[in-house]
Amino acid sequence: MRTTPELLAAVAAAAVPGVAPVATGPSPDDAADFRSCVVQDSEGRRWRVRSPLNTEASMRLETEHLVLQAFTPSVRSRLPFHLPTVAGSVAQDGLRTFVYSHLPGHTLSLREFQRQNEHPEPPVHAPSPSAPPRAPLAVQLGRSLGCLHSLPRALVMDADLPAYSAEQCRKRMLHDLDQAATTGLIPGDLLRRWEEALEDTTLWQFSTRVVHGDLHEDNITVDHGSLASFTGWSDLHVGDPAVDFSWLVGMSDPAFADTVLEAYSVAAVQPPDRHLLRRAHLKAEFALAEWLVRGVDRGITSMVDNAQRMLTTLAADVRASASPSPGVAGPPPVPPAPPASTASAAASGADRTGDSADDSVDRADSGGRALDGDSAPDGHPGDDGLSPGHHSSEGGSSTGGSSAASGSVTPTS
């Protein structure tokens, strides 16, 4: 089926009465499964059109429609972000294309998320002097996830959507690991690394939550520094809350994820388990293997080659960092040893210092002076080697995305 922007605009006109398209614009989506665009009508309203490219993608859109119906107005009012609303749909060649009411804002890359967190865009309208200051973007994300994960499980189960226990989450991932291993295309050290994490049962002791299931930067819109909406609701289920944190692993600044988790801890009904971010790292790494398996199953060579390159890079990074497990930093680097000439000079100096000290003691003894802890031969108070005010201390150290704006539109022909 052809899925040009012009055709998607025609679908919007057929699916939603009264829509007269005048322009189209880009809309980020999973290019392997969907073709999407934003359609502007003659009244200035905007609509998002998502067209599936295969039967599996069409079923995902059907599921998303079911999910969005479960979010009643009362449930939506409890969430600090907007959700899409299905305005209409059209079936063609056995696949169903959906039209959604357009939500404000645009997607950001991971780099832009970090930049706007530190230097947010000003609001469109000046806030009231009595209004509280706007929270940083990372805090807004944490609060939103906390509210989402605090929704009652009945919301999912009443809609006949999947619900998994913590042990089922672990076993499902083990099954996926076995499937990935059969491809023979994944570095063995990564397979062992992931298997060890999955066999470590202490990581898998957590309370399941209502989770988005497919959260990443392309499914989050931001409007002038404020989190506007979550989209892409085809994988809503009860399961591991870490799945909604895995995309944060791609941030170059780990403090961003820490801030999200801190805000989440305050907003969620129950605090997160202490291994949540470790499982998020595991899921982020394993996503590359899932991408490879997906390419193998569909016979898409470019997907397989891309996944293999990323897995090879990941394996090299793991070896270089000596990370023993996902989410666990390797040992700090050992400082290089000084050159042999420098070391010899330092040792010689130490020997001369020791000889000088011994001579001083010998001279003091021969003079008949008593040397104790309260008196020094030169009359200075104390002989512990530390000058007044000197103290010792111990120090320690611890060790991607795309962006597409939907604001610009191109006239349709």
Side-chain angles (χ1 to χ4, degrees):
M1 182 176 74
R2 295 176 61 250
T3 52
T4 63
E6 292 78 15
L7 178 58
L8 295 180
V11 169
V16 184
V19 171
V22 297
T24 63
S27 179
D29 214 327
D30 183 352
D33 285 332
F34 302 99
R35 292 291 181 266
S36 302
C37 77
V38 173
V39 174
Q40 181 174 309
D41 65 16
S42 58
E43 297 183 10
R45 298 174 299 180
R46 295 190 175 192
W47 312 87
R48 187 188 187 203
V49 186
R50 300 187 76 194
S51 178
L53 299 180
N54 50 63
T55 302
E56 179 186 348
S58 183
M59 292 177 60
R60 287 176 60 188
L61 290 184
E62 296 278 4
T63 301
E64 182 179 46
H65 186 200
L66 181 66
V67 168
L68 293 176
Q69 287 181 318
F71 283 102
T72 62
S74 61
V75 173
R76 290 174 182 246
S77 66
R78 296 162 58 181
L79 299 172
F81 53 84
H82 298 293
L83 292 91
T85 299
V86 175
S89 64
V90 171
Q92 185 178 6
D93 299 333
L95 307 178
R96 184 169 292 275
T97 297
F98 284 83
V99 181
Y100 305 80
S101 56
H102 186 253
L103 297 171
H106 56 279
T107 60
L108 301 177
S109 66
L110 294 180
R111 185 187 300 274
E112 277 296 303
F113 261 107
Q114 294 178 147
R115 188 190 67 79
Q116 288 209 22
N117 184 62
E118 299 172 358
H119 307 286
E121 293 184 6
V124 177
H125 304 290
S128 169
S130 60
R134 184 176 59 188
L137 199 52
V139 174
Q140 296 179 51
L141 276 168
R143 291 173 179 173
S144 297
L145 285 173
C147 292
L148 172 62
H149 291 183
S150 297
L151 290 175
R153 292 175 174 82
L155 172 76
V156 171
M157 302 177 76
D158 290 348
D160 289 330
L161 296 170
Y164 306 106
S165 66
E167 179 61 12
Q168 286 174 325
C169 291
R170 188 181 75 88
K171 287 185 176 179
R172 292 179 74 241
M173 198 168 179
L174 270 172
H175 175 269
D176 293 341
L177 178 63
D178 291 339
Q179 184 180 8
T182 60
T183 65
L185 302 175
I186 299 177
D189 50 350
L190 289 182
L191 291 174
R192 289 188 295 272
R193 173 183 175 86
W194 298 334
E195 183 177 15
E196 289 173 0
L198 286 166
E199 295 293 350
D200 184 359
T201 56
T202 60
L203 296 182
W204 301 89
Q205 298 174 4
F206 59 87
S207 297
T208 56
R209 302 279 191 273
V210 174
V211 298
H212 180 283
D214 189 28
L215 197 63
H216 50 79
E217 63 273 19
D218 283 346
N219 281 337
I220 302 173
T221 62
V222 176
D223 187 27
H224 292 88
S226 295
L227 192 150
S229 65
F230 286 169
T231 59
W233 289 93
S234 59
D235 292 317
L236 185 77
H237 65 278
V238 173
D240 186 354
V243 72
D244 285 346
F245 285 82
S246 61
W247 67 284
L248 295 172
V249 174
M251 296 287 185
S252 60
D253 182 9
F256 189 98
D258 292 338
T259 302
V260 173
L261 186 61
E262 182 179 357
Y264 174 90
S265 303
V266 175
V269 172
Q270 294 182 345
D273 66 281
R274 65 193 186 98
H275 295 304
L276 185 146
L277 286 184
R278 286 189 62 186
R279 294 195 310 279
H281 275 82
L282 171 62
K283 293 175 184 297
E285 292 183 10
F286 190 67
L288 300 181
E290 293 175 320
W291 181 252
L292 184 142
V293 171
R294 186 177 174 187
V296 170
D297 290 343
R298 297 186 179 186
I300 304 177
T301 304
S302 59
M303 283 179 61
V304 175
D305 292 342
N306 187 33
Q308 281 190 278
R309 284 194 297 269
M310 291 188 289
L311 285 164
T312 300
T313 300
L314 174 61
D317 290 343
V318 167
R319 287 192 296 269
S321 66
S323 168
S325 181
V328 179
V334 178
S341 58
T342 304
S344 300
S348 176
D351 291 341
R352 288 195 298 270
T353 302
D355 293 342
S356 176
D358 292 341
D359 292 345
S360 176
V361 172
D362 291 341
R363 287 194 299 271
D365 289 342
S366 63
R369 296 182 183 178
L371 298 180
D372 55 33
D374 297 326
S375 175
D378 59 0
H380 290 291
D383 192 29
D384 57 0
L386 300 180
S387 59
H390 180 85
H391 62 277
S392 63
S393 63
E394 294 181 4
S397 63
S398 61
T399 56
S402 61
S403 174
S406 59
S408 60
V409 292
T410 306
T412 57
S413 57

